[in-house]
Amino acid sequence: MARILTGIQSSGRPHLGNILGAILPGIELSRDPQNESFFFIADLHSLTTLKNGTEREEYVRAVAASWLAFGFDFNKNTFWRQSRVQEHTELAWYLNCFTPFPMLANATSFKEKAEKLSDVNAGLFTYPVLQAADILLYDANIIPVGKDQKQHLEMTKDIASRFNLLAGEEILVLPEPRIDERIMTIPGIDGQKMSKSYNNYIDIFLPENELKKVIKKIVSDSKQLEEPKDPEQDITFKLYSLVASDTDIAAMRQNYLNGGYGYGHAKQALLECMLEKFAEPRRIFNYYMENNDELESILIQGEAKARAIAQTTIEKVRKVLGFSS
Ligand code: TYM
C-alpha cells in the first residue's frame, strides 16, 4: 500500500501544466486499489503571492473543481483545503527550526525572485518548509509533481532526515517524487515553462471563444503556409503531442514536414482536440463552479479525514520535541 500525495496552489485557475503535470498522474495513481491518495488545495502557499481573499476563494473552488472534473474519487481518498487542517502550519514551524538558512537561500523558487529582495516575503522564503510539512504530516510515499518541484522534494527528504536523526527513529517518512519524463515541463504559449506567473498558460476550462483566442496567441516562427516546417521546434506541435492520439500526432507531424500546412491549421486542430478530449471535464468543472454548496460539503468531509491523520503525526512530533501534554 503506497500513500500518494500532491497539492496545487490556489493562486489561479489550474492550467494545462497543472493538469498534465500533477492532476492526471495523481488520479491515475489513485485508481490503483493498492494506493491511498491525499490531494489537497495549497491555499496557504497561495498567500505568498496572492493577497486578495475573494480571489483566493474563487481559485480554491477552481482547483477543487478541477480535481473532481478529472474524476478524483473523494470518497475512497482524502481531499481537503490545507488551511483547514492547522497541523500543517504547526509542523511547518517545527520543521523551520530544522532547516538551515542556506538550504532555503538555494531554493530555485526563492532565487528566481531574489533579485528584488524587498519583494520577497518571509512566507515565500520558507515556502519549501510548509511544503515539507504538507507531505510529512501524512506519511506520504509518492508525490506526483512536475519537474519544477524536484528540488522541493529533495529539501523535504533532507529536513525529514534531520528531524529523524534527532528523534533517533524514523518518525517522518521520506517521500519520493514521481515525475513523468514525457511531460516533465509543459511549455506555455511562449515556449517557456507554462506558469501562472509568466502569464503564458492555457486554461482548458475557458469558454470556447476565449480558449480559441489563447491558442491563437501561441508563438510560432514566420514560415509561410506552403513551406515545410520542423514539428520538433514548434510550440503548437509540442502541445498537440501532449493531448492528441498517436495517430493524430503522426498525421500532424507529416503535415508539417510536407508543407502546405500552416500554423493556423495546427492551432485549429489543437483547439478541436482539446474541446473533444476535455469535453467531459469542462462540463463537470462548470457544474461544480455553479454548485458551490456541493463542493463545500465534499471539502468539509475531506478535512475531517485529513485532520485525523495529521493529528497522529503531530502528536509523535510534539512528543519528540517536548511539546506533548
Ligand atoms: P503549483 O500550484 O505551482 O503547481 C501544481 C502542480 O503542477 C505542476 N506544474 C507543472 N507540471 C508540468 N509543467 C508545467 N508547466 C507545470 N506547472 C506546474 C507542478 O509541478 C505541481 O506539481 N509547491 C507546489 C504546491 C504544493 C505541493 C505540496 C505539491 C504545496 N505543497 C506538497 C506537492 C506536495 C506548487 O508549486 O504547486
Side-chain angles (χ1 to χ4, degrees):
M1 164 83 73
R3 275 211 178 153
I4 318 298
L5 177 142
T6 202
I8 295 189
Q9 289 191 69
S10 50
S11 47
R13 287 167 40 130
H15 54 64
L16 188 65
N18 303 134
I19 290 165
L20 299 180
I23 295 186
L24 289 178
I27 291 182
E28 193 172 329
L29 285 166
S30 77
R31 293 210 167 110
D32 182 339
Q34 297 294 322
N35 293 339
E36 214 185 340
S37 297
F38 291 75
F39 297 160
F40 68 97
I41 302 153
D43 53 351
L44 292 172
H45 278 107
S46 74
L47 184 57
T48 60
T49 50
L50 175 71
K51 309 298 182 204
N52 184 305
T54 314
E55 283 180 29
R56 188 175 347 275
E57 279 173 12
E58 154 92 14
Y59 297 150
V60 163
R61 284 198 291 277
V63 175
S66 304
W67 280 110
L68 300 175
F70 283 96
F72 180 55
D73 181 347
F74 55 87
N75 285 315
K76 172 186 169 227
N77 301 292
T78 308
F79 184 49
W80 75 105
R81 263 172 297 210
Q82 179 193 36
S83 61
R84 299 299 173 91
V85 178
Q86 290 168 7
E87 284 74 10
H88 287 252
T89 42
E90 183 177 343
L91 183 59
W93 175 253
Y94 301 148
L95 297 180
N96 265 321
C97 303
F98 285 80
T99 308
F101 180 91
M103 190 199 287
L104 293 179
N106 255 327
T108 314
S109 52
F110 163 68
K111 283 206 283 195
E112 274 174 0
K113 314 238 162 74
E115 279 158 25
K116 205 163 168 227
L117 277 179
S118 53
D119 283 352
V120 177
N121 60 67
L124 189 82
F125 188 64
T126 59
Y127 180 113
V129 186
L130 179 58
Q131 180 159 349
D134 299 337
I135 297 169
L136 299 171
L137 260 185
Y138 299 93
D139 295 346
N141 310 109
I142 299 174
I143 318 297
V145 280
K147 191 179 162 209
D148 59 341
Q149 297 301 307
K150 200 170 174 208
Q151 191 188 29
H152 289 162
L153 265 292
E154 280 157 10
M155 291 163 86
T156 300
K157 287 207 268 188
D158 194 335
I159 297 169
S161 304
R162 285 165 195 266
F163 179 86
N164 287 342
L165 194 65
L166 174 93
E169 57 178 312
E170 294 272 308
I171 302 270
L172 301 175
V173 174
L174 269 54
E176 284 301 329
R178 177 71 58 90
I179 301 168
D180 186 329
E181 296 293 324
R182 202 177 76 92
I183 49 171
M184 287 194 304
T185 306
I186 308 298
I189 59 170
D190 58 359
Q192 293 188 82
K193 176 195 145 193
M194 186 177 290
S195 166
K196 287 156 209 160
S197 40
Y198 302 156
N199 200 17
N200 64 353
Y201 57 88
I202 298 180
D203 175 351
I204 63 143
F205 299 117
L206 284 175
E208 183 174 337
N209 56 345
E210 288 179 43
L211 184 57
K212 187 174 181 162
K213 279 189 205 148
V214 176
I215 290 180
K216 267 193 166 169
K217 285 197 214 144
I218 298 174
V219 174
S220 59
D221 63 29
S222 53
K223 286 213 173 71
Q224 298 302 305
L225 185 128
E226 54 283 354
E227 290 180 71
K229 301 173 182 68
D230 181 357
E232 307 312 328
Q233 297 304 320
D234 182 53
I235 305 163
T236 306
F237 182 78
K238 280 187 193 154
L239 289 166
Y240 189 73
S241 308
L242 291 163
V243 290
S245 68
D246 289 348
T247 329
D248 289 346
I249 298 167
M252 187 182 278
R253 174 177 283 113
Q254 204 49 56
N255 284 331
Y256 269 64
L257 297 173
N258 291 346
Y261 185 82
Y263 293 119
H265 295 129
K267 289 177 184 176
Q268 183 60 28
L270 176 62
L271 173 69
E272 283 165 17
C273 175
M274 283 192 178
L275 289 173
E276 196 195 317
K277 186 178 169 90
F278 299 131
E280 188 60 0
R282 283 163 60 84
R283 188 191 64 73
I284 304 173
F285 177 86
N286 287 328
Y287 172 83
Y288 280 112
M289 291 305 276
E290 281 155 22
N291 290 276
N292 195 21
D293 290 353
E294 217 174 304
L295 201 57
E296 189 63 27
S297 73
I298 291 172
L299 289 171
I300 289 173
Q301 165 194 326
E303 278 153 30
K305 277 160 82 179
R307 193 173 299 117
I309 297 172
Q311 281 173 347
T312 312
T313 310
I314 211 81
E315 212 23 78
K316 287 192 232 162
V317 172
R318 284 185 194 150
K319 200 156 171 235
V320 170
L321 298 177
F323 293 116
S324 211
S325 55

